[in-house]
Amino acid sequence: MTRPLVRQAAPGELPAPVLYELLRLRSEVFVVEQRCAYQDLDGRDLEDGARHWWVEDDGGDVVATVRTLREPDGSTRLGRVVTRADARGSGLAADLIRAALAEVGRPVVISAQAHLARWYRTLGFEIDGELFVEDGIDHLPMRLR
């Protein structure tokens, strides 16, 4: 696979087929693979200031995605970071996050799955609080200043 282009769109600019693929990938990984029944469609995907970021493979299928949100305190929230199983380890998620970080304001916060904290540190994030459990999965609050 050639290095894919990182794409982004605000909710009103996102073509319906792409939105479908983003949501399908999130469901495949978070709900099915991680066996975590939770409300992925939390209403935040359509907020003012939300941006959806994704990369596609050579066939045009979405292989990784993340969303950014503006928080009331002025920070940017990075969330719903997901990579298709067969694309993990290829650097796509890091490329995607770096592209998003280049465009958003600081600080950036994330509720990271705890087993990924070391990986987020390679992107400049620092642990910013205590371990907590969300939807049965250990998470750590992290911040990029």
Side-chain angles (χ1 to χ4, degrees):
M1 179 170 79
T2 59
R3 209 63 182 167
L5 175 68
V6 173
R7 302 177 188 279
Q8 66 166 303
E13 303 166 347
L14 198 57
V18 173
L19 176 60
Y20 177 86
E21 288 298 313
L22 300 179
L23 297 174
R24 183 186 57 74
L25 178 58
R26 286 170 22 183
S27 180
E28 277 180 11
V29 174
F30 297 134
V31 178
V32 178
E33 180 184 325
Q34 295 182 352
R35 295 184 184 104
C36 183
Y38 79 109
Q39 187 63 43
D40 180 38
L41 299 179
D42 59 0
R44 299 207 67 191
D45 290 303
L46 301 176
E47 287 181 2
D48 287 340
R51 300 287 302 172
H52 297 274
W53 306 76
W54 71 97
V55 292
E56 301 169 353
D57 63 15
D58 293 335
D61 295 324
V62 173
V63 294
T65 185
V66 64
R67 75 175 180 191
T68 55
L69 304 166
R70 273 193 244 138
E71 296 289 61
D73 67 1
S75 65
T76 298
R77 176 160 298 279
L78 197 71
R80 301 300 200 260
V81 180
V82 63
T83 303
R84 197 172 67 193
D86 64 345
R88 292 183 197 142
S90 64
L92 292 178
D95 290 347
L96 183 63
I97 290 174
R98 284 186 189 106
L101 293 176
E103 298 289 325
V104 300
R106 299 292 190 273
V108 179
V109 296
I110 186 169
S111 295
Q113 290 186 3
H115 72 277
L116 294 172
R118 184 181 314 188
W119 181 78
Y120 282 109
R121 282 190 193 120
T122 68
L123 297 168
F125 286 86
E126 300 169 352
I127 294 173
D128 190 40
E130 299 298 318
L131 182 76
F132 65 96
V133 177
E134 183 176 355
D135 298 317
I137 299 172
D138 289 346
H139 284 74
L140 284 165
M142 299 187 81
R143 179 176 296 268
L144 177 67
R145 299 182 198 288

